[in-house]
Amino acid sequence: MAPFLELAALALTLFTPAIAYTEKPSIFSFSAAGTGLQLGGANLAPEIRVAPNDLPGVKRVANDLALDFGRVLGVNGTVVVADWNSTISQKGTKPIILVGTVGQSSLIDNLGSTKKFDTVSIANKWETFAYQVVQSPWEGSSSVLAIAGSDLRGTAYGVYDVSGKIGVSPWHYWADVPAKKKQYIWANSDTYTEGPPSVRYRGIFLNDESPGLTGWGRTKFTPSQYGSPFVLDFYKLIFELILRMKGNYLWPAMWSSMFYLDDTRNGPTATEYGIFVGTSHHEPMARADKEQGRFLRGSWDWRSNKAGVQAFMQEGPTRAKNWSTIYTVGMRGSGDAASPSLNSQALEEVIAWQQQTLTKTIGKPLSEIPHAWMMYKEVPGYWQKGMKVSDDVTIVWSDDNRGNIRRVPIGNEGNRVGGTGMYYHFDYVGDPRNYKWINTIQLQKTWEQMTLAYDSGVDKLWIANVGDLKGLELPTAHFMAMAWDRKAFTDLDSTKKWLGVWGARQWGELAGDTTASIMTRYGKLTARMKYEDLSRTPFAFDTISYDEAELNFNEWTSLLKNAQAVHDALPSDVKTSFWEVVLHPIMAGRGVYEIYTKVALAGTYRGQHRVSANKLLRDVQAAFSADQAITRQYHSILSGKWNNVMAQTHIGYNNWQEPASNSLPGLTWLTTQAKNALMGVAVQGSSGAFPGSASLTLPAASPYMAPSDQRWLDVFARDNGTFSYRITSNTSFVSVTNAQNTISTTSGATDIGSLISVDWSKAPVGNTAASLSIANLNAPGTTATVILPIQNNNVPDDFKGHVEANNVVSIEAEHFAPPPASSSAYLVIPDYGRTLSGVKLPPKTPSQQAGKGHVLSYPFYTFSTATAATLTVYLAPSENANPNSPNKYTFGIDGGSQTTVQTVGMTDGSTQPQGWSDAVVKGSYVKTNNIGRLNPGKHELKVWLLEPTMVITKVVIDVGGLKSSLMGPPESAQV
């Protein structure tokens, strides 16, 4: 039975078991009978006081807090600028919140000097805050809430943390999360504190922002004189979001924009907010790429136009010297390309001149001027060849644009004064294909890679390419949360727990666990292949082997059903936000998968002459129309608030660059007649069909088949008409569903599937076969024969491990034997990769010697005699993040000779290794090695991962039955 046509037969549970998640206890409560300081009630909101000597950004954030109380209570707070003396002399009936910066606010400093509030514990720390109810702060006042920061951003984070705790999401604008309405707000006497952050500079890069963000922006903001919609009103929304996420860093949009010139208020306002502004990897010295074409005299070439390039670069720090800036140094070619004339020596000269210019222009020591050199694309090749730069520059490594970190600090690189950073991608334009439509990020992969980075010493700067931002809300929030507090993400299942917490904060407690379950499954499905890669031919998911294409699509259909059910059960005020972040990507993503899956299946069906091939193609046309309708729906929500933001093309890629418009793949219809042979029969695992083949053979059945593996056959119409059929078995221990039925192209089903089951208690022991006859009752003598090989073998009672079925043993990597057979050092990352999980060594583990150290043991049992058995190992597409120690594993069978396999080829750092494109498209490096003769019986596979920079997900031992597929066979039974 084709699973796709009989989806009801694959009943899946709605949700995984609930996850108990915890977060740091809040000091706020919201019942009518609350205790402590009442901050809100009926027609009651607080008075928020800010000292006149505090930083301008503090008053701004106090105004946001006043508005946030209004969002929650229905009545805004009031902001009052008052020094200490006027504060203690004022009498009032409203609850009071004091907001200020240690060393900048007379309000906070006086609380500290009178020992009413502990300012010493946060003073002089980077971006740290505390808040608490202060009892008897001055004579005549019973209590106030004080929010204090160690610096401007610490104060802002404290204020926005209170906003979040009372019910205002950081995503109130960008994901339309409504405030959680309250009638009462109380604060207890506990002290709440956070900071300093795990990573010093934490931010986002708005990139590849056309057509989506740019098209949307032009409907919202008056473009600059240069035509960009990204003016101050736009960036205020971005600055606020960054601060609410406890970030501090931005690379502004640059495809057709110039941050400092499109609105001359952008630079100083960013500083007032507390945001550090940088520029991308090919925009040195705080000058935008588009400024080169307008203002550079001569060519962008250090060798031939050094004076012109220097004059152009000099203008950057001259303009930005009084603003919070992280200067990008180094140089690439024009337009984000490699420079044809630069080499290591010339680049050393460029950076040395840039550093001299910074110190001279800004008037500070180099160690006090944040500046970063981006190790991106070909640039790491210069470093790998021995290039030297000042110890003060922050070396920023990058991933491969597909989420795999290319390099971590090695040797003494982690001890640099400037530290090291990471540039990571959730969006990309370039080889092998763009991906810039909607979220395709597996958060568990982000966790694994950024944990590798952090534990390797990358803690100075993290920045993520978030594309249009819309559509990437979830990976953005996750990345920023990790950067703020890495300690909260130490558990292997912390990502799913975080998802539960985050979902509950946005859409309510009931949405927490369900969001975690749904988006974890979504990440696993997108990890198999990004939407833009699906148009590659042949279709990656096999339409024959292991029912792979159909089962994969069924998972999408099940996930959509689950997400829709959650959406429909939510309160009406949060449905739109949930739709944007959760339901839309699943709905839209399933549609794209439907298009390519059904086109591929239609090709198989057409080869079998099924009339249902044309129905699949009609489904494809409907899915394409639905895709357009889903986009229109997004653009129409909230009276068109997000019009144009989802305009990115995503169907019809035929090279790395996006298509000009969405287009269907070629549809080849079934047009030939069946020539009076109306009945067709097809079986699992074969592209052949009756009557082309009078006898068809199924894959073998075994009591040790994977639980999800069911044998089936389909009876179908090959042309218009009606017929009845009967299926009979030559044995009593083999039975089928739908043993007799009628096929009709006018009034019934055109395809009917039958599940085949074996009563193993009655089946003879050993290898036998059963025969099924399918007779067309309207055409006497028209009978198809289906052979079911039966492997009814038994394993010894004392064996524990995986068992061969259908001449294959497939094992998920996490199902290794328990210690002491396997090392306890290995980490199992739940929900990682394409199938179940990932297994790896902790990031700080030293390189292992081949066949020694930490081992994984996989006991397995075979019944077949194989003269040329093979081992296939599936690994994440991780890079050689330590160029001195490439990713390798060693394996051995039954204590015999060992083989060491290098999974990723070596390069000079300027290019990607051989096989990289295929690996990142398919989400895995797949390595197959011969293991020679393998006799029936017990066996033990041992695997040693030699590096902590690699992740193993599955192993498959082939004793004669492995079929071609993307993800390999389903896991064998484990006894």
Side-chain angles (χ1 to χ4, degrees), residues 800 814-824 857 859 974:
K800 294 181 179 179
E814 77 163 60
H815 292 150
F816 50 84
S822 298
S823 170
S824 60
S857 171
Q974 185 178 13

Side-chain angles (χ1 to χ4, degrees), residues 821-826 841-842 845-846 848-849 851-856 890 943-946:
S822 298
S823 170
S824 60
Y826 283 96
L841 291 166
T845 305
Q848 296 202 102
Q849 295 183 36
K852 297 182 179 180
H854 304 301
V855 66
L856 296 166
T890 297
V943 178
W944 293 262
L945 300 184
L946 305 189

Side-chain angles (χ1 to χ4, degrees), residues 366 372 692 797:
L366 198 58
D797 292 339

Side-chain angles (χ1 to χ4, degrees), residues 607-777:
Q608 297 169 339
H609 214 282
R610 300 195 194 204
V611 296
S612 55
N614 287 350
K615 178 186 182 303
L616 290 176
L617 296 182
R618 290 191 293 273
D619 289 348
V620 168
Q621 292 176 322
F624 186 74
S625 297
D627 177 84
Q628 296 170 313
I630 291 168
T631 300
R632 290 193 298 270
Q633 181 181 356
Y634 204 116
H635 291 166
S636 67
I637 58 175
L638 300 174
S639 302
K641 176 181 176 179
W642 298 112
N643 190 28
N644 295 330
V645 82
M646 285 294 161
Q648 177 61 53
T649 56
H650 48 276
I651 303 173
Y653 273 78
N654 57 30
N655 60 72
W656 69 267
Q657 185 58 283
E658 65 197 51
S661 60
N662 291 323
S663 61
L664 277 173
L667 306 182
T668 304
W669 299 83
L670 178 65
T671 57
T672 60
Q673 294 182 336
K675 298 180 181 179
N676 299 319
L678 190 57
M679 184 182 79
V681 178
V683 300
Q684 182 184 30
S686 173
S687 60
F690 175 86
S693 299
S695 179
L696 303 165
T697 301
L698 282 155
S702 162
Y704 301 107
M705 292 192 307
S708 62
D709 196 8
Q710 292 181 299
R711 297 291 168 259
W712 56 264
L713 64 82
D714 279 351
V715 182
F716 58 87
R718 302 181 72 248
D719 208 333
N720 293 328
T722 300
F723 67 90
S724 297
Y725 68 89
R726 180 186 297 120
I727 305 173
T728 56
S729 170
N730 71 340
T731 68
S732 61
F733 56 84
V734 173
S735 59
V736 298
T737 61
N738 293 317
Q740 186 166 333
N741 219 317
T742 298
I743 297 285
S744 175
T745 57
T746 58
S747 60
T750 61
D751 301 65
I752 295 178
S754 293
L755 290 174
I756 304 166
S757 58
V758 178
D759 184 344
W760 295 107
S761 67
K762 297 179 180 178
V765 175
N767 295 335
T768 58
S771 177
L772 301 173
S773 296
I774 302 95
N776 183 341
L777 302 181

Side-chain angles (χ1 to χ4, degrees), residues 570-618:
L570 288 173
S572 59
D573 64 328
V574 300
K575 284 184 176 179
T576 295
S577 177
F578 184 88
W579 188 90
E580 291 176 34
V581 178
V582 176
L583 185 54
H584 170 263
I586 295 170
M587 181 185 298
R590 178 195 175 275
V592 175
Y593 262 87
E594 181 173 14
I595 288 170
Y596 290 108
T597 301
K598 290 187 176 180
V599 166
L601 286 169
T604 298
Y605 282 21
R606 188 173 59 253
Q608 297 169 339
H609 214 282
R610 300 195 194 204
V611 296
S612 55
N614 287 350
K615 178 186 182 303
L616 290 176
L617 296 182
R618 290 191 293 273

Side-chain angles (χ1 to χ4, degrees), residues 70 298 375 564 632 765 791:
M375 291 289 183
Q564 186 72 58
R632 290 193 298 270
V765 175
Q791 300 172 342

Side-chain angles (χ1 to χ4, degrees), residues 40 56 146 185 190 297 426 467 513 540 553 566 711 741 785 888 897:
I185 300 176
D190 293 340
R297 294 186 178 181
F426 300 140
D513 291 350
F553 181 67
V566 174
R711 297 291 168 259
N741 219 317
T785 300
K888 297 179 182 180
S897 62

